[in-house]
Amino acid sequence: MVKTIADIPESYKHPVHVVINDLEFDVVARNIIMLLIALVVEDPKEAAECIVHLWYSALLRESDMTILRRRIRPLIADVCNKSTNKPSASLLGKTWTFGKRSLRVVLSKSAWNRLVCFLDPVSGLTVEKAHQIRTRVTMSEHRKDRLERSIFASKPFHRVALVKFREEGLLLPFGAPRSDFTVPNP
């Protein structure tokens, strides 16, 4: 869907309406946050890198967290602050406009309150603890056969990259510096 919208030619001047929905709130929250990043961050390369790491990486750069804390969180917190007296199940809609583009989100009040929490650092979660939690799943000895089956058909150099990603949780080119990734992905 994103690729389709990104490939709409500049000459197309008609409105495009897209509805994205999912039963899993984690997926909905991630999609809303990624769309807001794409709309708020002026530099497309910076926005794309932030979105990729938010989606795939276990750790984020401080610059990614700055975008989430200072640019995205206030947009969502504003909706939460304006709805404090509403019932938890009431549906609340918000439309943000960025130039000629806009994003409308309709969620229950309780979902808005959950959404804003996705942007807060997890209390007590250190880089080391985040790494332990992740590798307990991705590199579990009890699931070694699953890892080996998933990389069996890959080319040898792809296997190395896939295992490295599973071990460290950073979606980066092989050999790229990892020192900027210092904050657990909330």
Side-chain angles (χ1 to χ4, degrees):
M1 184 275 310
V2 173
K3 175 90 171 105
T4 300
I5 291 173
D7 285 342
I8 293 174
E10 297 265 343
S11 60
Y12 186 82
K13 301 296 182 198
H14 304 286
V16 176
H17 299 276
V18 179
V19 176
I20 302 174
N21 199 359
D22 199 283
L23 291 175
E24 294 295 325
F25 184 73
D26 291 0
V27 173
V28 172
R30 183 193 65 214
N31 289 339
I32 292 168
I33 294 166
M34 290 189 310
L35 287 168
L36 283 170
I37 292 168
L39 292 167
V40 167
V41 178
E42 296 84 16
D43 179 7
K45 183 178 183 226
E46 181 185 7
E49 286 183 18
C50 182
I51 290 168
V52 164
H53 293 300
L54 179 70
W55 196 348
Y56 290 107
S57 295
L59 301 175
L60 299 178
R61 302 168 295 187
E62 192 56 50
S63 61
D64 300 324
M65 287 304 295
T66 299
I67 290 168
L68 294 176
R69 273 184 257 158
R70 294 196 183 145
R71 312 235 0 237
I72 306 303
R73 191 180 194 290
L75 297 172
I76 297 166
D78 183 54
V79 177
C80 296
N81 293 337
K82 290 180 178 175
S83 66
T84 53
N85 297 327
K86 304 246 183 210
S88 170
S90 60
L91 289 179
L92 306 170
K94 173 67 179 174
T95 302
W96 294 281
T97 302
F98 307 91
K100 294 181 181 177
R101 302 169 300 164
S102 65
L103 173 64
R104 178 158 179 79
V105 175
V106 179
L107 299 170
S108 68
K109 177 189 172 191
S110 61
W112 281 104
N113 291 331
R114 285 179 60 202
L115 177 60
V116 78
C117 294
F118 277 71
L119 301 164
D120 295 331
V122 178
S123 179
L125 184 62
T126 64
V127 170
E128 294 76 22
K129 181 133 174 116
H131 180 71
Q132 287 175 345
I133 292 168
R134 186 175 192 288
T135 55
R136 195 177 319 134
V137 174
T138 61
M139 299 304 289
S140 170
E141 280 298 316
H142 300 295
R143 298 173 53 117
K144 191 173 185 174
D145 62 322
R146 182 181 172 117
L147 170 62
E148 290 176 355
R149 278 191 309 240
S150 72
I151 65 174
F152 173 75
S154 301
K155 296 177 180 170
F157 55 89
H158 286 161
R159 290 180 190 158
V160 173
L162 288 167
V163 170
K164 186 168 182 76
F165 173 66
R166 282 179 170 254
E167 288 174 344
E168 66 181 23
L170 298 177
L171 187 61
L172 291 169
F174 207 77
R178 277 121 167 92
S179 59
D180 288 345
F181 293 83
T182 58
V183 183
N185 188 339

